[in-house]
Amino acid sequence: MASSTRSGLLSSLTKLSTARTARASSWDQTGRNRDNWIIMPGEERVLADIEGPGSITHIWMTQSCRIQPGPGQISPELVGVPMLEIHNALGVSWEVVDPDYYRKIVLKMYWDDQETPSVIAPLGDFFGLMNSLSGSYDSLPLSVSAKEGELNTFGGSAAFNSYFEMPFNSRARIVVENQNDIPYLQYFYIDYELYTEPLPEDTAYFHAHWRRQKPNAGWGPDLQTNSIEVAIPNLTGEDNYVVLETEGQGHYVGCNLAVRHFQGSWWGEGDDMIFIDDDTWPPSLHGTGMEDYFGHAWGMQHNAFLMNGTMVHEENVPGFHHSYRFHMTDPIRFQKRIKVTFEHGHANHLSDDWSSTAYWYQTLPSPVLDIDAVEERLPLRPRDQVEELPLPELTPAQQAARDASAERMQRFTEARDAVRHERRAEIDHWERANARAGTGNPAAVPGRKQRPGPVIPPADSTEGSV
């Protein structure tokens, strides 16, 4: 007998549940308002360590990474906000954003005590802020809200949201690693549910992986796109750009793609070719052009829809184009393996810089996923040409001014580093407290057992400081 229960995107809201809702966040655990974590250079922080069974339902993040070329007039220990945002022309402070930092932070997610991550991507690229170039968009599973005054700038301030459902049976860990040479500040919410029963055996686990080819190896990058000379056959797809290649059972649910186009013509004339299971040629899914795969036509427009669209358009930032396509209602299913590929120019004649994040669900164990070294991830952004001359012979007053500035910078740096040292020790405690909270509250979820949590030292303890 067929069920009369309605099944749809929001149908779960009509059903009661015994699940417990909880959150791991960067809230100031002293009760004050310093609601961020400082992540030092080379440091890895566990934002959430949660005992399952459960599912992550929402992630929100915003962050900041500022370089200080010169000393501020306000001592760092007197500043109660993460950045002053006073115009540098006023001489009160001197802060500039690190334009590449979204690529220098790595986001990793681990499910069920696996030793390798099921998600690994630069922080910005995972959410759709690619090439460290800010651009707002709103899709069903992901969104970026860029600060309007910093829109289409490298390192521009933005807020990130993910609504991908991320189930886990025994454990979930979400980690950020700062591969920069300066600290940054991380704000975050990680919202989740805890269940009383193990996940069903047919549960598929969330995965995401970032890739890059810099540049793609094209056979005719000097030949005009859509010219008669490049209209040659591609009947193998073997030189295509690979968005995703994995083995197991699951379904591909989409990707984002960043193109740094060098020729100045049109980057998107290649086809999508998706090989499933035992495909040889032709693949199970063969498309007609990159703008067609991304749901547009006659080029890409300045539109961001629920399932497809554009974050950064080449007409706004010449040479850069960032697009996305999500298969939330039309997932591409595989039983053994899948290989998602795109031509870079027709028959792969172009040699552009391509990078992408693929999103999919599959059974565990996860494939072993890695990521390029930080030096190989940095965006190929335009550089300003600067001419510098040797200093002229200085007058006594000029030399005294330079000496005074150097002395003030030394005092400022010592005070700033002392604040960072204090905060780092504080975040050690907050990280442990988040892990303890992630063991769950057995009284809140009937039938749920609680594993022992880590011991949190008192606030005046020096444990974990450097």
Side-chain angles (χ1 to χ4, degrees):
M1 180 178 178
S3 172
S4 61
T5 303
R6 177 165 158 49
S7 177
L9 182 64
L10 302 178
S11 60
S12 63
L13 299 180
T14 67
K15 301 174 184 178
L16 296 177
S17 172
T18 60
R20 173 185 175 237
T21 303
R23 169 182 293 163
S25 79
S26 57
W27 71 285
D28 187 333
Q29 296 176 23
T30 69
R32 292 173 290 184
N33 194 38
R34 201 154 55 175
D35 294 318
N36 56 68
W37 287 18
I38 187 169
I39 316 292
M40 300 299 288
E43 192 168 63
E44 187 173 275
R45 286 289 185 181
V46 180
L47 306 186
D49 188 349
I50 309 163
E51 178 187 334
S55 184
I56 292 165
T57 57
H58 170 240
I59 299 173
W60 166 86
M61 289 183 171
T62 192
Q63 44 284 312
S64 178
C65 184
R66 301 293 181 101
I67 302 167
Q68 294 161 324
Q73 302 282 9
I74 304 174
S75 181
E77 66 264 20
L78 301 178
V79 177
V81 292
M83 69 285 296
L84 290 175
E85 296 196 301
I86 299 172
H87 199 289
N88 290 334
L90 299 177
V92 177
S93 62
W94 192 359
E95 296 180 338
V96 295
V97 68
D98 180 343
D100 301 329
Y101 87 96
Y102 287 115
R103 278 269 170 96
K104 297 176 181 177
I105 304 163
V106 178
L107 177 67
K108 294 181 273 191
M109 302 184 193
Y110 301 79
W111 313 130
D112 291 4
D113 292 311
Q114 292 193 120
E115 294 183 358
T116 59
S118 300
V119 171
I120 184 166
L123 182 67
D125 291 75
F126 174 84
F127 289 96
L129 194 152
M130 298 176 282
N131 275 318
S132 203
L133 181 59
S134 67
S136 292
Y137 78 105
D138 184 18
S139 73
L140 186 62
L142 295 171
S143 70
V144 174
S145 179
K147 190 174 180 180
E148 189 168 352
E150 300 177 27
L151 196 64
N152 295 327
T153 66
F154 291 93
S157 301
F160 300 156
N161 285 280
S162 167
Y163 299 96
F164 277 113
E165 188 160 349
M166 305 177 186
F168 53 94
N169 216 15
S170 60
R171 190 182 187 193
R173 284 191 300 137
I174 298 184
V175 175
V176 290
E177 182 181 356
N178 182 10
Q179 295 184 357
N180 205 345
D181 56 2
I182 58 174
Y184 86 99
L185 297 178
Q186 182 71 68
Y187 296 79
F188 64 92
Y189 288 9
I190 299 171
D191 297 326
Y192 59 94
E193 292 183 341
L194 299 175
Y195 308 135
T196 59
E197 300 294 333
L199 300 178
E201 291 186 4
D202 61 355
T203 297
Y205 289 74
F206 178 75
H207 291 72
H209 187 214
W210 182 82
R211 291 173 176 248
R212 185 186 199 183
Q213 279 190 258
K214 182 190 68 169
N216 283 303
W219 59 270
D222 54 335
L223 300 182
Q224 172 67 36
T225 296
N226 278 328
S227 66
I228 195 169
E229 290 82 9
V230 302
I232 68 171
N234 177 10
L235 297 177
T236 65
E238 62 185 22
D239 295 325
N240 293 1
Y241 175 81
V242 178
V243 176
L244 168 64
E245 187 169 16
T246 188
E247 294 188 353
Q249 181 180 7
H251 36 273
Y252 165 68
V253 295
C255 73
N256 60 46
L257 176 69
V259 177
R260 177 75 166 93
H261 179 53
F262 301 129
Q263 190 191 73
S265 58
W266 162 236
W267 62 270
E269 200 54 39
D271 296 345
D272 56 295
M273 304 178 191
I274 302 177
F275 298 80
I276 298 174
D277 296 337
D278 297 325
D279 279 353
T280 53
W281 183 268
S284 293
L285 292 89
H286 194 302
T288 58
M290 291 315 302
E291 73 271 42
D292 307 334
Y293 173 76
F294 288 110
H296 287 195
W298 312 112
M300 294 291 295
Q301 289 81 53
H302 300 246
N303 294 321
F305 302 121
L306 290 182
M307 305 291 187
N308 66 292
T310 299
M311 305 90 152
V312 171
H313 197 282
E314 57 194 338
E315 291 181 359
N316 299 121
V317 187
F320 290 85
H321 194 96
H322 301 169
S323 302
Y324 63 94
R325 168 69 161 96
F326 294 116
H327 300 267
M328 310 304 290
T329 58
D330 57 336
I332 298 175
R333 305 190 187 279
F334 55 95
Q335 307 303 315
K336 299 178 182 178
R337 63 185 66 88
I338 190 171
K339 186 175 182 180
V340 180
T341 75
F342 299 153
E343 286 183 307
H344 41 97
H346 175 72
N348 298 312
H349 82 285
L350 290 177
S351 296
D352 290 333
D353 171 20
W354 282 37
S355 58
S356 60
T357 306
Y359 309 93
W360 75 101
Y361 289 84
Q362 74 165 81
T363 54
L364 298 183
S366 298
V368 177
L369 305 175
D370 57 14
I371 196 170
D372 292 345
V374 63
E375 297 81 8
E376 295 301 316
R377 299 199 305 268
L378 300 183
L380 297 178
R381 55 188 173 87
R383 307 281 178 172
D384 292 329
Q385 186 174 2
V386 177
E387 293 188 11
E388 296 182 354
L389 294 174
L391 293 176
E393 183 175 349
L394 302 180
T395 66
Q398 291 169 338
Q399 184 62 57
R402 293 184 61 85
D403 291 344
S405 176
E407 181 182 352
R408 189 160 62 88
M409 183 62 181
Q410 181 177 353
R411 295 196 306 270
F412 177 85
T413 301
E414 290 172 352
R416 180 199 65 195
D417 291 349
V419 171
R420 289 175 175 176
H421 176 82
E422 175 188 354
R423 288 231 60 206
R424 184 177 183 273
E426 182 178 56
I427 302 307
D428 286 342
H429 306 324
W430 294 4
E431 183 179 32
R432 292 185 177 92
N434 273 11
R436 180 173 63 181
T439 61
N441 180 353
V445 185
R448 180 183 173 85
K449 296 182 179 180
Q450 184 178 28
R451 63 179 166 91
V455 176
I456 310 299
D460 59 354
S461 169
T462 58
E463 181 182 340
S465 61
V466 294

mmCIF file of all heavy atoms in Angstrom, residues 17-21 193-196 444-445:
data_model
loop_
_atom_site.group_PDB
_atom_site.id
_atom_site.type_symbol
_atom_site.label_atom_id
_atom_site.label_comp_id
_atom_site.label_asym_id
_atom_site.label_seq_id
_atom_site.Cartn_x
_atom_site.Cartn_y
_atom_site.Cartn_z
ATOM 1 N N SER A 17 10.030 15.378 16.183
ATOM 2 C CA SER A 17 11.280 14.629 16.266
ATOM 3 C C SER A 17 11.822 14.703 17.685
ATOM 4 O O SER A 17 11.614 15.695 18.392
ATOM 5 C CB SER A 17 12.306 15.205 15.291
ATOM 6 O OG SER A 17 13.572 14.622 15.479
ATOM 7 N N THR A 18 12.529 13.660 18.100
ATOM 8 C CA THR A 18 13.201 13.656 19.400
ATOM 9 C C THR A 18 14.649 14.121 19.291
ATOM 10 O O THR A 18 15.386 14.093 20.272
ATOM 11 C CB THR A 18 13.174 12.251 20.008
ATOM 12 O OG1 THR A 18 13.843 11.339 19.121
ATOM 13 C CG2 THR A 18 11.742 11.788 20.246
ATOM 14 N N ALA A 19 15.070 14.555 18.094
ATOM 15 C CA ALA A 19 16.452 15.001 17.917
ATOM 16 C C ALA A 19 16.743 16.205 18.801
ATOM 17 O O ALA A 19 15.866 17.028 19.076
ATOM 18 C CB ALA A 19 16.708 15.339 16.458
ATOM 19 N N ARG A 20 17.975 16.283 19.257
ATOM 20 C CA ARG A 20 18.431 17.436 20.040
ATOM 21 C C ARG A 20 19.206 18.366 19.133
ATOM 22 O O ARG A 20 20.105 17.938 18.402
ATOM 23 C CB ARG A 20 19.324 16.981 21.184
ATOM 24 C CG ARG A 20 19.980 18.155 21.929
ATOM 25 C CD ARG A 20 20.967 17.657 22.977
ATOM 26 N NE ARG A 20 21.673 18.773 23.587
ATOM 27 C CZ ARG A 20 22.995 18.906 23.595
ATOM 28 N NH1 ARG A 20 23.747 17.987 23.027
ATOM 29 N NH2 ARG A 20 23.563 19.933 24.184
ATOM 30 N N THR A 21 18.876 19.662 19.154
ATOM 31 C CA THR A 21 19.571 20.669 18.354
ATOM 32 C C THR A 21 20.641 21.336 19.211
ATOM 33 O O THR A 21 20.411 21.652 20.377
ATOM 34 C CB THR A 21 18.572 21.721 17.839
ATOM 35 O OG1 THR A 21 17.546 21.059 17.097
ATOM 36 C CG2 THR A 21 19.265 22.728 16.951
ATOM 37 N N GLU A 193 22.252 18.446 14.694
ATOM 38 C CA GLU A 193 21.258 17.664 15.422
ATOM 39 C C GLU A 193 21.907 16.381 15.905
ATOM 40 O O GLU A 193 22.797 15.838 15.254
ATOM 41 C CB GLU A 193 20.073 17.294 14.518
ATOM 42 C CG GLU A 193 19.228 18.461 14.092
ATOM 43 C CD GLU A 193 18.025 18.025 13.260
ATOM 44 O OE1 GLU A 193 18.034 16.893 12.722
ATOM 45 O OE2 GLU A 193 17.091 18.826 13.156
ATOM 46 N N LEU A 194 21.452 15.884 17.062
ATOM 47 C CA LEU A 194 21.886 14.603 17.599
ATOM 48 C C LEU A 194 20.693 13.663 17.657
ATOM 49 O O LEU A 194 19.588 14.070 18.041
ATOM 50 C CB LEU A 194 22.483 14.782 18.993
ATOM 51 C CG LEU A 194 23.726 15.684 19.073
ATOM 52 C CD1 LEU A 194 24.149 15.877 20.519
ATOM 53 C CD2 LEU A 194 24.867 15.107 18.250
ATOM 54 N N TYR A 195 20.914 12.394 17.294
ATOM 55 C CA TYR A 195 19.837 11.415 17.191
ATOM 56 C C TYR A 195 20.017 10.298 18.219
ATOM 57 O O TYR A 195 21.133 10.047 18.696
ATOM 58 C CB TYR A 195 19.791 10.814 15.786
ATOM 59 C CG TYR A 195 19.758 11.846 14.682
ATOM 60 C CD1 TYR A 195 20.568 11.725 13.546
ATOM 61 C CD2 TYR A 195 18.926 12.964 14.776
ATOM 62 C CE1 TYR A 195 20.541 12.673 12.542
ATOM 63 C CE2 TYR A 195 18.895 13.925 13.776
ATOM 64 C CZ TYR A 195 19.707 13.772 12.661
ATOM 65 O OH TYR A 195 19.687 14.720 11.666
ATOM 66 N N THR A 196 18.931 9.615 18.518
ATOM 67 C CA THR A 196 18.969 8.507 19.482
ATOM 68 C C THR A 196 19.329 7.191 18.835
ATOM 69 O O THR A 196 19.780 6.271 19.514
ATOM 70 C CB THR A 196 17.601 8.369 20.166
ATOM 71 O OG1 THR A 196 16.597 8.137 19.175
ATOM 72 C CG2 THR A 196 17.258 9.635 20.951
ATOM 73 N N ALA A 444 19.092 15.236 27.501
ATOM 74 C CA ALA A 444 18.321 15.920 26.471
ATOM 75 C C ALA A 444 17.899 14.987 25.352
ATOM 76 O O ALA A 444 16.978 15.290 24.613
ATOM 77 C CB ALA A 444 19.141 17.073 25.894
ATOM 78 N N VAL A 445 18.593 13.868 25.178
ATOM 79 C CA VAL A 445 18.268 12.917 24.115
ATOM 80 C C VAL A 445 18.020 11.564 24.762
ATOM 81 O O VAL A 445 18.957 10.875 25.150
ATOM 82 C CB VAL A 445 19.408 12.816 23.079
ATOM 83 C CG1 VAL A 445 18.988 11.920 21.924
ATOM 84 C CG2 VAL A 445 19.785 14.195 22.580
#
